[in-house]
């Protein structure tokens, strides 16, 4: 239960008390300024508390946005202020600064706060004091919604007229939809999925339940695709679209009901990838039933899409706060038609899933994967080229935080320390040229397999690993150093794909698919931890799973030892995939259910 304190007697005829109770608050009314501090001190420290001016006039949704959003320690709208437990001490200090006297408890220690001579519109005064105290006070964008503290009957009448002129439920429904989304999602899904979200909210369903339903529907779609017959493909396409509708609904439900959570952030951030990868596997199994082996295409599509996402993540982290990432986009957005054109050609998740669903129902898995590969490759080239041009024109120096984020995204393991010891950490950034040498060396060594002696190929890979270590030996502050993490992802995933494709071990490609999926999960998990401000996964995890260079070398050694030995390479890849998957998943679950996990909700990512 949360507590709302009216800082004075309610205005006759006001519905403020009922509005606050409808939002889940236990309402207390201060008889005067002196009692406000005492009521605040009486609220348990672990509860949210809100202070509301009794003259407040506004929409219920204005109060909901200002007082119930769980993501912010403190939030405010005109005439209303809320503080969660982590901001309660600062609120007490602000209240004291506004005019307090401490009442000593038995034993001489001060406890309850007694307030005299508090200013008019106390919530606004305290919100300004919290800002001055270094507490970030979130102020939601209300748009056409009304939140005001009118002074006098005439102003109050005008405020009530303004409230009646705007349907806050319509505003609430509209704001439930993500502000920046793809063309397909905006025009073919969101017009009705928002009403599904409201239906779910009115029946007490949570975003996590809808997210889980979306995952189960996608897994069922993958199972239908695995049947390999036309009816199964048609059912798979339909179910995949249903899964995507639910995927949109869970975020809209979270925004509609303001039910954000750390668990929901984790589920939302990872289930999209799990659903897509599971569907790829289902398509490959279905094709195999018809004698068409498309596992290499399935793995290639997953590698390409994941590397493209790493380009996005790496560039955004490298340029966080600089404006480099958005200046050109904002100029292009002023030309109306370019907004949707640019969102469509990068093949974001809505367009991508729609294409997969339609092609699955109408064609065959091979065509689906080739369409994915071509579409994702074009989108990757388009976005990467634009970011290269923007980076070359960048003048602002890269921050230490951005350099650390790039180093974390690089996912370099113990072997890279050898290069760091050789070149040291002082001096200018030297990353990208050596990252190119390392990535090219890994892919070339794998591609030459088995034309040279296995020992020579492994030595070439070890040499490439050495150059990869040199690349991250110094802080990644070079102009194009944001390319290093995607280069390493391409090298690792591509090497696994090539070695599995060239292996004489049956079913090596499906095993490699599982290994890349497990490693990709680790990399996505790293991204969302960094975005939440908690930093990368612990160093012991990176050491345990070897870093990108260690895993690549291990796969090469396994390929060499298992050559001409039947299913040994497949078994080894499977065991490695299970081991990596278990370690990263257990640690990920431990982190995301912990109290320190951030409530990361991705409002801008459409891909």
């Amino acid at each position: 239960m949360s507590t709302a304190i009216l800082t004075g007697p309610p205005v006759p005829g006001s519905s403020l008390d009922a509005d606050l109770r409808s939002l889940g608050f236990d309402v207390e009314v201060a008889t005067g300024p002196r009692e406000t501090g005492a009521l605040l001190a009486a609220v348990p420290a672990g509860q949210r508390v809100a202070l509301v001016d009794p003259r407040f006039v506004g929409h219920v949704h204005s109060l909901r946005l200002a007082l119930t959003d769980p993501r912010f320690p403190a939030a405010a709208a005109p005439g209303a202020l809320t503080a969660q437990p982590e901001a309660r001490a600062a609120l007490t200090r602000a209240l004291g600064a506004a005019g307090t006297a401490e009442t000593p408890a038995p034993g001489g220690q001060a406890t309850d706060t007694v307030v005299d001579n508090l200013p008019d519109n106390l919530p606004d005064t305290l919100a300004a004091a919290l800002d001055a105290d270094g507490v970030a006070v979130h102020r939601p964008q209300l748009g056409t919604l009304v939140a005001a503290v009118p002074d006098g009957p005439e102003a109050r009448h005008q405020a009530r007229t303004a409230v009646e002129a705007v349907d806050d439920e319509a505003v609430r429904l509209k704001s439930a939809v993500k502000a920046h989304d793809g063309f397909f999602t905006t025009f073919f899904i969101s017009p009705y999925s928002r009403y599904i979200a409201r239906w779910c909210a009115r029946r007490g369903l949570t975003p996590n339940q809808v997210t889980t339903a979306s995952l189960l529907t996608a897994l069922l779609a993958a199972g239908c695709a695995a049947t390999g017959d036309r009816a199964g493909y048609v059912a798979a396409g339909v179910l995949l679209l249903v899964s995507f509708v639910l995927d949109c609904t869970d975020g809209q439900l979270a925004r509609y009901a303001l039910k954000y959570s750390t668990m929901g952030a984790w589920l939302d951030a990872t289930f999209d990838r799990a659903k897509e990868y599971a569907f790829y596997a289902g398509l490959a199994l279905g094709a195999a039933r018809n004698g068409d082996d498309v596992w290499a295409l399935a793995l290639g599509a997953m590698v390409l899409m994941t590397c493209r996402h790493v380009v996005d993540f790496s560039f955004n982290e490298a340029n966080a706060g600089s404006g480099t990432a958005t200046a050109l986009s904002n100029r292009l957005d002023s030309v109306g038609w370019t907004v949707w054109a640019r969102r469509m050609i990068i093949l974001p998740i809505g367009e991508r899933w729609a294409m997969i669903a339609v092609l699955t129902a109408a064609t065959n898995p091979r065509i689906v994967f080739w369409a994915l590969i071509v579409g994702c490759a074009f989108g990757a080239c388009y976005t990467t080229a634009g970011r290269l041009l923007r980076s070359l024109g960048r003048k602002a120096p890269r921050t230490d935080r951005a350099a650390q984020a790039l180093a974390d995204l690089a996912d370099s393991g113990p072997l890279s320390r050898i290069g760091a010891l050789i070149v040291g950490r002082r001096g200018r950034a030297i990353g990208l040229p050596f990252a190119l040498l390392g990535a090219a060396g890994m892919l070339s060594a794998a591609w030459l397999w088995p034309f040279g002696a296995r020992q020579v190929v492994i030595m070439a890979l070890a040499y490439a690993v050495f150059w990869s270590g040199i690349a991250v030996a110094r802080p990644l502050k070079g102009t194009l150093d944001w390319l290093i993490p995607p280069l390493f992802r391409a090298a690792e995933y591509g090497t696994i794909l090539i070695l599995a494709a060239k292996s004489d071990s049956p079913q090596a490609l499906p095993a490699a698919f599982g290994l890349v999926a497990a490693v990709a999960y680790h990399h996505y998990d790293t991204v969302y931890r960094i975005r939440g401000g908690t930093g990368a996964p612990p160093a012991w995890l990176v050491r345990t799973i070897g870093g990108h260079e260690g895993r690549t070398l291990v796969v090469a050694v396994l390929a060499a030892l298992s050559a001409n030995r039947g299913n040994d390479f497949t078994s080894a890849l499977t065991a490695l995939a299970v081991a990596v998957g278990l370690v990263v998943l257990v640690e990920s679950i431990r982190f995301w259910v912990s109290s320190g996990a951030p409530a990361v909700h991705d409002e801008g990512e459409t891909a």
Side-chain angles (χ1 to χ4, degrees):
M1 177 66 72
S2 301
T3 299
I5 300 172
L6 297 182
T7 60
V11 175
S14 171
S15 63
L16 183 57
D17 183 290
D19 292 342
L20 290 170
R21 293 185 189 278
S22 72
L23 296 177
F25 285 96
D26 182 14
V27 180
E28 301 284 349
V29 179
T31 57
R34 175 176 294 275
E35 194 177 4
T36 300
L39 289 175
L40 175 63
V43 177
Q47 284 189 11
R48 173 197 290 271
V49 66
L51 298 179
V52 184
D53 192 294
R55 298 166 297 173
F56 176 89
V57 175
H59 290 99
V60 176
H61 193 48
S62 296
L63 290 172
R64 180 183 290 107
L65 291 172
L67 303 181
T68 67
D69 196 323
R71 295 173 296 173
F72 308 104
L81 170 68
T82 186
Q84 296 213 66
E86 55 266 40
R88 286 285 301 276
L91 178 59
T92 300
R93 290 195 302 271
L95 194 57
T100 67
E102 294 180 339
T103 300
Q109 292 186 350
T111 54
D112 292 350
T113 303
V114 180
V115 184
D116 285 306
N117 301 319
L118 291 178
D120 290 338
N121 198 345
L122 179 61
D124 286 5
T125 301
L126 295 179
L130 288 178
D131 281 329
D133 195 23
V135 177
V137 179
H138 171 67
R139 291 175 172 82
Q141 296 294 322
L142 299 179
T144 58
L145 296 175
V146 176
V149 181
D151 187 10
E154 180 62 26
R156 189 171 184 82
H157 174 72
Q158 293 176 356
R160 284 177 170 172
T161 301
V163 170
E164 293 172 357
V166 176
D167 183 353
D168 71 337
E169 177 60 21
V171 174
R172 186 182 179 190
L173 268 176
K174 183 178 180 180
S175 62
V177 177
K178 189 184 293 186
H180 301 286
D181 229 327
F183 179 86
F184 179 77
T185 305
T186 300
F187 293 103
F188 292 91
I189 304 296
S190 293
Y192 58 87
S193 62
R194 69 184 74 181
Y195 295 101
I196 301 175
R198 182 171 67 179
W199 183 90
C200 292
R202 291 177 176 177
R203 282 152 184 81
L205 296 177
T206 66
N208 291 353
Q209 291 170 332
V210 178
T211 301
T212 303
S214 175
L215 173 67
L216 294 176
T217 304
L219 294 179
L220 183 59
C224 291
T227 62
D229 56 47
R230 179 52 52 195
Y233 288 152
V234 172
V238 172
L239 288 171
L240 189 64
L241 287 177
V242 172
S243 175
F244 183 65
V245 171
L246 293 174
D247 182 60
C248 295
T249 300
D250 64 359
Q252 291 167 358
L253 174 58
R255 289 183 285 273
Y256 180 85
L258 296 183
K259 289 185 176 179
Y260 300 102
S261 67
T262 55
M263 176 64 76
W266 174 60
L267 294 178
D268 188 56
T270 57
F271 275 14
D272 279 352
R273 304 287 83 81
K275 289 181 287 189
E276 199 159 0
Y277 296 168
F279 195 79
Y280 290 178
L283 284 174
L285 289 170
R289 286 179 177 271
N290 294 316
D292 189 11
D293 187 354
V294 296
W295 277 106
L297 292 177
L299 182 50
M302 182 168 69
V303 168
L304 181 58
M305 188 181 66
T306 304
C307 291
R308 170 191 152 189
H309 282 150
V310 176
V311 169
D312 297 340
F313 300 145
S314 185
F315 178 79
N316 291 336
E317 288 300 326
N319 296 283
S322 70
T324 304
T326 59
L328 180 59
S329 295
N330 290 338
R331 288 197 298 271
L332 288 174
D333 283 350
S334 63
V335 184
W337 64 270
T338 67
V339 176
W340 298 117
R342 289 186 297 111
R343 292 184 189 177
M344 290 175 67
I345 62 176
I346 64 172
L347 203 64
I349 189 169
E351 278 74 0
R352 190 167 68 247
W353 281 35
M355 182 186 74
I356 294 171
V358 171
L359 291 179
T360 297
T363 62
N364 59 67
R366 183 171 289 272
I367 293 177
V368 173
F369 286 126
W370 274 117
L372 267 174
I373 290 171
V374 172
C376 285
F378 180 81
C381 290
Y382 170 79
T383 55
T384 304
R387 286 164 181 171
L388 281 170
L389 292 175
R390 281 174 255 172
S391 296
L392 292 174
R394 174 189 170 94
K395 297 180 180 179
R398 184 153 295 137
T399 65
D400 291 337
R401 180 196 175 280
Q404 183 58 52
L406 292 180
D408 293 334
L409 289 172
D411 192 36
S412 298
L415 292 178
S416 291
R417 295 184 180 181
I418 300 174
L421 290 173
I422 293 175
V423 302
R425 291 186 59 82
R426 294 188 177 184
R428 299 181 62 183
I430 56 173
L432 185 59
F434 295 101
L436 285 168
L437 282 174
M442 291 181 189
L443 292 171
S444 298
W447 187 258
L448 291 173
W449 189 284
F451 296 108
R454 290 192 293 270
Q455 294 84 352
V456 174
V457 175
I458 292 175
M459 289 181 63
L461 278 170
Y463 188 66
V465 165
F466 168 76
W467 288 118
S468 298
I470 296 288
V472 295
R474 293 176 183 169
L476 301 181
K477 294 188 175 183
T479 301
L480 298 179
D481 279 356
W482 57 270
L483 285 169
I484 291 177
L487 277 173
F488 285 169
R489 295 298 78 75
E492 179 183 2
Y493 300 162
T495 299
I496 296 172
L497 167 60
I498 294 169
L499 290 175
K502 287 178 169 289
S503 170
D504 56 5
S505 179
Q507 302 304 310
L509 279 168
F513 185 95
L515 176 58
V516 172
V519 175
Y521 175 86
H522 163 61
H523 290 140
Y524 280 107
D525 187 55
T526 300
V527 165
Y528 284 98
R529 294 197 198 205
I530 293 173
R531 283 186 170 183
T534 58
W540 69 261
L541 177 65
V542 177
R543 289 195 300 267
T544 300
I545 60 176
H548 75 95
E549 77 284 5
R551 289 187 299 270
T552 304
L553 199 55
V554 166
V555 172
V557 171
L558 291 175
L561 296 177
S562 304
N564 302 317
R565 297 182 60 177
N567 289 322
D568 283 5
F569 188 45
T570 298
S571 300
L573 283 179
T574 303
L576 184 60
V578 171
V580 171
L582 282 176
V583 171
V584 300
L585 186 60
V586 168
E587 161 56 22
S588 178
I589 293 173
R590 182 210 62 78
F591 170 77
W592 286 102
V593 301
S594 69
S595 59
V600 181
H601 285 265
D602 201 353
E603 296 297 326
E605 181 65 51
T606 61

